Amino acid sequence: MSFDTPEEARDVAIERLEQFGLSTYAARTFVALAGLGTGTAKDVSRVADVPRTRVYDAVDELQSHGLVDVQQSTPKEFWAISAATTGRKVEREWQYRADELQAALDELQPVEQSAEQRGVWTVSGRKTVTERVVEFCEKAEDRIVYMTVEELLTGDVVDALKAAADRGVTIELAGVSPDVQERIQEEVPSADLFESLWMWSDTPAGRLMMVDGDTTLVSVLVDGENGQPTTPESETAIWGSGETNSLVVVLRAIFTWRLDDD
């Protein structure tokens, strides 16, 4: 990743450090020290928007996270750990938090989860829709029927389909271009590529998915006045699960021509 200007890099670094839990002054102080190598409170205040009297509080915060060392001189000097070490520390901390969050949420889930989801659920945004598609692929045990347009067949989705195929799940794909078909055949050689019944390029259709005959998802790329996508990111999906779920019943009927073709 590269930045057009040092100022842009500085702003991004400060923003990310704040997202990782540092106060604004601590983030600005650390970024200033990263550029200086070592420095005093006066040095930091000179290059960063941090009052000199607040630099010491910021350094205390940074030191508690193991991000700076302090030289007990007069005046005190501060040294920031390297970018690589900082990255590893942040990665370990967030991995720990993610693991702790998952463990806590696992404890809160019902002992017996119902496989039947009444009604349909809405998902907005391409990234979130993709996450849901990947999640469904990870849970697949028998068959995935997936129809989509080229730009939505991302690396994450291809990896999830490949992993499912490696588990023995049947993969059937449609609606992708010849170039993408070649890519799929290379990465998921067992995938069955079939012709779509619809001309997807003439519609705002995004994805249509059926997993194991009891989980479905359908999305559209719509955000404009005339029902056409205004940006590539404009995607909204609905999904449902359970054999008697209304969306599943309807899409299973649509997919009968594929599901019965063994």
Side-chain angles (χ1 to χ4, degrees):
M1 180 178 296
S2 60
F3 301 96
D4 294 334
T5 64
E7 289 74 18
E8 181 184 0
R10 174 184 174 278
D11 291 344
V12 169
I14 291 172
E15 181 180 356
R16 295 296 178 264
L17 288 168
E18 289 175 340
Q19 292 172 347
F20 291 144
L22 292 182
S23 67
T24 298
Y25 282 160
R28 292 175 180 173
T29 296
F30 183 81
V31 171
L33 288 171
L36 291 169
T38 61
T40 64
K42 181 179 180 181
D43 296 328
V44 170
S45 182
R46 175 173 50 83
V47 300
D49 188 16
V50 180
R52 183 174 175 179
T53 56
R54 299 301 302 274
V55 171
Y56 296 101
D57 293 335
V59 167
D60 287 343
E61 181 181 341
L62 292 169
Q63 195 170 23
S64 69
H65 289 283
L67 296 175
V68 301
D69 291 343
V70 179
Q71 185 180 78
Q72 300 300 325
S73 56
T74 304
K76 291 182 178 180
E77 289 211 24
F78 314 118
W79 172 83
I81 64 175
S82 69
T85 302
T86 301
R88 288 194 295 269
K89 288 179 68 69
V90 169
E91 184 176 4
R92 288 196 300 269
E93 175 64 21
W94 278 83
Q95 185 59 57
Y96 171 78
R97 294 185 186 184
D99 292 343
E100 190 175 43
L101 172 62
Q102 182 174 341
L105 293 176
D106 286 343
E107 288 292 326
L108 297 174
Q109 290 183 353
V111 176
E112 294 184 4
Q113 290 191 4
S114 173
E116 185 72 26
Q117 297 283 351
R118 295 185 180 276
V120 297
W121 304 84
T122 302
V123 183
S124 297
R126 177 179 298 186
K127 181 179 179 181
T128 307
V129 175
T130 297
E131 290 173 350
R132 203 67 70 248
V133 168
V134 169
E135 177 184 341
F136 293 158
C137 287
E138 292 173 345
K139 294 180 179 179
E141 298 178 353
D142 179 40
R143 173 181 284 183
I144 298 172
V145 182
Y146 188 48
M147 304 173 67
T148 188
V149 292
E150 179 177 346
E151 61 265 29
L152 296 181
L153 197 60
T154 62
D156 289 344
V157 174
V158 173
D159 289 344
L161 292 171
K162 184 178 185 302
D166 291 342
R167 298 195 308 271
V169 176
T170 299
I171 308 295
E172 301 182 64
L173 296 169
V176 296
S177 68
D179 289 342
V180 177
Q181 287 183 0
E182 291 182 9
R183 170 187 164 204
I184 293 298
Q185 288 175 332
E186 290 179 0
E187 301 191 41
V188 193
S190 63
D192 178 16
L193 303 175
F194 63 94
E195 293 296 327
S196 170
L197 292 178
W198 303 281
M199 294 296 294
W200 283 46
S201 60
D202 297 332
T203 73
R207 324 182 200 218
L208 204 159
M209 183 181 200
M210 171 75 73
V211 177
D212 294 341
D214 63 7
T215 298
T216 57
L217 178 146
V218 59
S219 79
V220 291
L221 298 171
V222 176
D223 194 30
E225 295 180 359
N226 299 320
Q228 295 298 320
T230 56
T231 70
E233 300 298 325
S234 304
E235 183 176 14
T236 299
I238 57 173
W239 67 272
S241 65
E243 292 187 357
T244 62
N245 181 279
S246 57
L247 181 64
V248 173
V249 171
V250 171
L251 292 186
R252 190 164 54 224
I254 294 175
F255 273 123
T256 297
W257 62 283
R258 285 304 304 176
L259 298 176
D260 292 342
D261 184 18
D262 294 323

